Amino acid sequence: QSALTQPASVSGSPGQSITISCTGTTNSVGSYNLVSWFQQHPGKAPKLIISEVNKRPSGVSDRFSGSKSGSTASLTIAGLQAEDEADYYCCSYVGYSSWVFGGGTKVTVL
Amino acid sequence: EVQLVESGGGLVKPGGSLRLSCAASGFVFSDYYMNWVRQAPGKGLEWVSSISSTSTYIYYADSLKGRFTISRDNAKNSLYLQMNSLVAEDTAVYFCARRLGGQLWSADFDSWGQGTLVTVSS
């Protein structure tokens, strides 16, 4: 299955906005609006925060938003807070009945 | 409240087998696709396998090379993963996850267990 590329780390100060990219191929992210984003704190299970590019599940802060352009999906965290410090993973359907996760991005709140 | 509780992890020798279980509660288990996702120590998430609500459709990651088998028992609200011919690279926390299926192939894994650790070592 094709890979999804994320930056290893992104950092920002409290109150700032940050964006995490997730780059796939025309056969994965570029072909389907089926990208999800997950937040994972150390030692915890992942939590779904965005599905289908830009849908926010009930209970997820509206500071989280998703978008896509071509083969790159993006997660934006607005008004960065200390509790946002975590690992973030994108995931996309890549065809052939399979899903692939990105390598993950560590978000640090300075 | 949706709950997923994995069990069955442990230490196994290379070449050995292990069967993981996931007990589900708080929702109509038979209505949902279920999945296994793993995470090697200090590494990222890797989708492993998916099974449809009635076990009609089953999918695996190519990397597993036919060594793993997913199954479910809707009467027992349980999901399973039989893992054979284990190698060191299979060492990971194994999570079971429910998929909402907002769209047929949506990656909306909305509920996760806490995971069970599988260690493959001699």
Side-chain angles (χ1 to χ4, degrees):
Chain A
Q1 292 107 352
S2 57
L4 302 180
T5 301
Q6 298 181 233
S9 63
V10 172
S11 61
S13 300
Q16 284 187 330
S17 291
I18 61 169
T19 297
I20 303 168
S21 61
C22 171
T23 301
T25 68
T26 53
N27 293 328
S28 60
V29 175
S31 292
Y32 309 98
N33 289 324
L34 298 175
V35 177
S36 293
W37 290 90
F38 299 85
Q39 176 192 61
Q40 186 181 33
H41 288 104
K44 301 294 187 182
K47 175 187 176 182
L48 177 67
I49 56 173
I50 294 289
S51 67
E52 294 171 13
V53 175
N54 55 18
K55 296 182 180 178
R56 217 172 25 250
S58 174
V60 173
S61 172
D62 60 4
R63 297 185 299 103
F64 295 95
S65 62
S67 62
K68 191 188 88 166
S69 176
S71 298
T72 297
S74 299
L75 172 72
T76 297
I77 309 175
L80 199 61
Q81 299 180 1
E83 67 207 49
D84 300 331
E85 188 160 291
D87 294 325
Y88 292 83
Y89 295 90
C90 62
C91 180
S92 177
Y93 180 67
V94 294
Y96 302 101
S97 311
S98 61
W99 294 265
V100 168
F101 285 88
T105 298
K106 182 177 180 61
V107 168
T108 301
V109 180
L110 302 172
Chain B
E1 178 194 3
V2 173
Q3 278 205 322
L4 298 169
V5 180
E6 302 92 339
S7 61
L11 177 63
V12 60
K13 288 182 167 53
S17 299
L18 212 55
R19 190 194 194 207
L20 306 183
S21 299
C22 172
S25 61
F27 65 104
V28 181
F29 181 72
S30 58
D31 282 352
Y32 292 88
Y33 271 74
M34 295 298 296
N35 303 265
W36 288 99
V37 177
R38 68 183 181 181
Q39 186 170 35
K43 302 296 185 182
L45 300 168
E46 179 186 15
W47 172 75
V48 170
S49 182
S50 177
I51 185 169
S52 64
S53 57
T54 58
S55 305
T56 303
Y57 302 104
I58 288 176
Y59 312 113
Y60 298 99
D62 289 346
S63 61
L64 298 180
K65 298 189 174 82
R67 298 181 296 117
F68 290 9
T69 302
I70 191 172
S71 62
R72 65 191 294 164
D73 185 336
N74 286 343
K76 295 183 178 180
N77 291 337
S78 292
L79 175 72
Y80 306 102
L81 185 68
Q82 176 67 43
M83 304 185 297
N84 298 329
S85 302
L86 286 162
V87 298
E89 291 71 29
D90 295 319
T91 294
V93 173
Y94 285 73
F95 296 99
C96 70
R98 184 180 78 167
R99 191 168 73 86
L100 279 178
Q103 292 189 42
L104 180 59
W105 300 109
S106 182
D108 50 359
F109 305 107
D110 75 314
S111 297
W112 299 64
Q114 282 305 113
T116 186
L117 176 63
V118 172
T119 304
V120 183
S121 175
S122 56

